Amino acid sequence: MVSDNNDINFDINRSNNYKLVSSQGDSAIIIISLTPPPDLALSFFTIPDRGPAGQPVKARFAISNNGPGNIKAGSVWTDKNLFIN
């Protein structure tokens, strides 16, 4: 198995990109099982009807996972919101 065979990532040390897949040196089947992804969706979202210009407002929201994959406890992601009137 060779990683980055076409040198797309401009690897400085290419000698560590090779791995023998069997002790006899012959080819072997490598099975790669991907973890099912989560599908995060906005369940609800509320903000005040009005707020002072240029000042923060409190928003309430909930995210649910509609996908087959799990989300690890303590996982972090970033949400960005833009409110336009």
Side-chain angles (χ1 to χ4, degrees):
M1 179 174 179
V2 180
S3 66
D4 194 23
N5 189 44
N6 295 322
D7 198 23
I8 294 170
N9 295 314
F10 306 108
D11 194 353
I12 294 171
N13 181 5
R14 294 187 53 76
S15 65
N16 63 359
N17 291 1
Y18 298 88
K19 175 90 174 154
L20 184 63
V21 293
S22 99
S23 59
Q24 291 78 31
D26 56 352
S27 60
I29 295 173
I30 299 174
I31 299 173
I32 299 173
S33 299
L34 299 176
T35 305
D39 180 13
L40 303 181
L42 186 64
S43 298
F44 76 85
F45 182 81
T46 60
I47 58 172
D49 292 335
R50 297 174 187 226
Q55 298 299 313
V57 295
K58 289 189 179 184
R60 292 182 39 127
F61 65 95
I63 305 292
S64 60
N65 181 9
N66 297 334
N70 293 326
I71 303 170
K72 289 183 180 179
S75 294
V76 177
W77 68 88
T78 301
D79 290 317
K80 294 184 180 182
N81 303 289
L82 176 64
F83 304 108
I84 300 174
N85 183 1

